[in-house]
Amino acid sequence: MSDRGYERGYERGGYDRDGYDRASVAGVTFSWRAGCRGHPEPPAGWAALSEAARPLRGEVLDASACLGVPGRAASAASVAVLEPSALGLAALRHDLAAAGPGGPTRLWASAGLPWDAPPAAFDHVLLAPPAERGSQRVRAEIRAAAAALRPGGTAWIVLEKDRGAKRYERDAGEAFGEVRVVDRRKGWRLARATAPRADARPEPWITFETGHGEAAALAGCFAAGKLDPGSELLLERMAAGGAVPAGATVLDLGCGWGPLARYAARCGARVTAVDDDLAAVRSCARNVPGARVVHADLDASLERDERFDRVILNPPFHVGSGVRVGLGRAFLEAALRRVAPGGEVWLVANAALPYEATFAADEAVDELVRERGFKVLRVRPPSGR
């Protein structure tokens, strides 16, 4: 399946020389690539939110996690963008740099989550809560929007009809005095929420027991509140096979809240954990305090020649609700770039995914177990490569 095989649904602008795809929503042309939220076809809700943002004035917070597209539409406002995806933030900064002196001068972008915003600092908040990440994440984002608004401020919240939009609009009534739907299009609903309640406070942290000790995760982080079955199977096989020797250098690629990194640290390894999602990075840092935890797209922020004795991963193959097999392959390619000569890659994947084809003929690939719908693979590149 090609992650570039798309032609429909929005205005396309081709590709730029840095490898980004180009698209346009509500008059805003932007860069993105596979792995960005919404790629390869922006949801209709992005257009609804961006059109609502266009006439806004004053101080605007774009906490939509839509690559700053809605905030860029508010060209007459001062806009702060909080983007939780390292890849999404890189794409936005790429556009801002390419615009040069003639670009938007009243827009600032940084890595962040909605509850990072200073309280009562904005006239408007733009929000597109990721319902696929669970109800606690949506509610935390809505409450964060209320907390960030000045008393007369307005939140613009776009929600997917088939993912609980009406229920979340009712929930928003606990954080706002009035919530009214102002736009409907192609399965999306845009709500205008006013009169933010002064006592609205987000509660994004989840504390839970895993069978390997207590853990904590920010709502919306992958498998927040549990140990996912794939990682559990990988942990079992790594423990049985003595996968991580004491003193080894270990890279956890796509660390989530940190179950694999925590195991490696308990084995006495020196652990580097990487994730594109800021919620995952903060969760992993809390659960594995001795690890070096990096907010980055794959291995982009590691030193060019940095290699590890072990690379462990549970590669994702979804962005939002869409299946993106190419994303998982990109993780495997990064793992092979980063494993040291004589090292090993340990991974778990859905049993049906054909990841074995990613590896070269001279790389030893062992399937250690296939059960519960998953398979665990150990990959040993040639030691002299």
Side-chain angles (χ1 to χ4, degrees):
M1 171 181 175
S2 169
D3 287 321
R4 289 198 171 196
Y6 59 96
E7 294 286 345
R8 66 192 186 283
Y10 63 97
E11 179 186 341
R12 294 187 59 199
Y15 313 110
D16 69 16
R17 61 186 177 86
D18 294 304
Y20 286 101
D21 304 338
R22 298 284 285 169
S24 182
V25 169
V28 177
T29 299
F30 62 97
S31 302
W32 62 351
R33 58 167 61 120
C36 287
R37 184 185 187 189
H39 192 275
E41 184 174 342
W46 286 32
L49 188 60
S50 299
E51 289 171 13
R54 189 180 293 139
L56 300 182
R57 302 291 189 273
E59 303 289 333
V60 173
L61 172 66
D62 181 353
S64 67
C66 297
L67 292 77
V69 173
R72 282 185 265 182
S75 57
S78 294
V79 181
V81 178
L82 293 177
E83 173 58 57
S85 163
L87 177 57
L89 183 60
L92 172 56
R93 286 177 170 165
H94 165 82
D95 285 352
L96 296 178
T105 58
R106 304 178 70 192
L107 187 146
W108 299 267
S110 62
L113 292 154
W115 43 85
D116 294 337
F122 296 94
D123 301 300
H124 301 276
V125 174
L126 309 174
L127 206 63
E132 71 276 4
R133 293 183 174 227
S135 59
Q136 187 163 342
R137 174 61 172 265
V138 176
R139 294 184 183 114
E141 290 204 4
I142 290 171
R143 286 181 165 269
L149 284 168
R150 294 172 178 140
T154 302
W156 304 85
I157 308 169
V158 68
L159 294 158
E160 196 170 0
K161 179 181 176 182
D162 291 340
R163 288 186 176 272
K166 292 182 180 180
R167 179 175 75 252
Y168 294 131
E169 288 158 13
R170 290 193 295 271
D171 291 339
E174 299 176 2
F176 293 88
E178 181 180 6
V179 180
R180 183 166 60 91
V181 175
V182 295
D183 195 353
R184 298 174 176 84
R185 64 179 78 185
K186 296 182 180 179
W188 291 81
R189 294 162 63 92
L190 176 67
R192 181 178 185 270
T194 55
R197 300 189 188 281
D199 59 351
R201 294 290 182 272
E203 297 176 356
W205 282 100
I206 303 168
T207 303
F208 52 100
E209 182 58 50
T210 68
H212 299 268
E214 187 177 87
L218 284 167
C221 172
F222 173 68
K226 63 183 179 182
L227 176 61
D228 69 281
S231 293
E232 185 171 22
L233 183 62
L234 180 55
L235 286 171
E236 290 173 8
R237 295 311 305 172
M238 287 197 301
V244 180
T249 56
V250 173
L251 172 63
D252 182 354
L253 197 57
C255 61
W257 58 258
L260 305 180
R262 184 166 68 173
Y263 166 78
R266 288 173 174 174
C267 290
R270 290 172 288 156
V271 178
T272 296
V274 179
D275 207 292
D276 174 75
D277 177 31
L278 186 59
V281 167
R282 291 180 178 173
S283 301
C284 184
R286 178 166 168 173
N287 292 314
V288 197
R292 165 196 176 201
V293 188
V294 182
H295 184 219
D297 172 33
L298 293 174
D299 59 337
S301 293
L302 302 181
E303 295 295 330
R304 182 184 295 273
D305 60 350
E306 201 167 357
R307 300 293 183 271
F308 299 84
D309 301 318
R310 298 290 184 271
V311 181
I312 54 179
L313 67 160
N314 180 358
F317 60 97
H318 287 93
V319 178
S321 57
V323 175
R324 302 285 181 262
V325 176
L327 180 61
R329 292 195 184 108
F331 269 76
L332 300 186
E333 290 164 1
L336 293 173
R337 285 195 299 271
R338 293 299 177 172
V339 66
E344 297 177 354
V345 176
W346 286 69
L347 68 117
V348 65
N350 186 295
L353 294 174
Y355 286 152
E356 290 83 350
T358 305
F359 306 112
D362 61 350
E363 291 165 341
V365 182
D366 301 315
E367 183 178 300
L368 303 180
V369 67
R370 181 182 290 252
E371 61 182 58
R372 306 174 216 168
F374 298 94
K375 58 188 173 186
V376 173
L377 304 179
R378 179 181 59 196
V379 184
R380 290 173 290 180
S383 59
R385 70 170 187 176

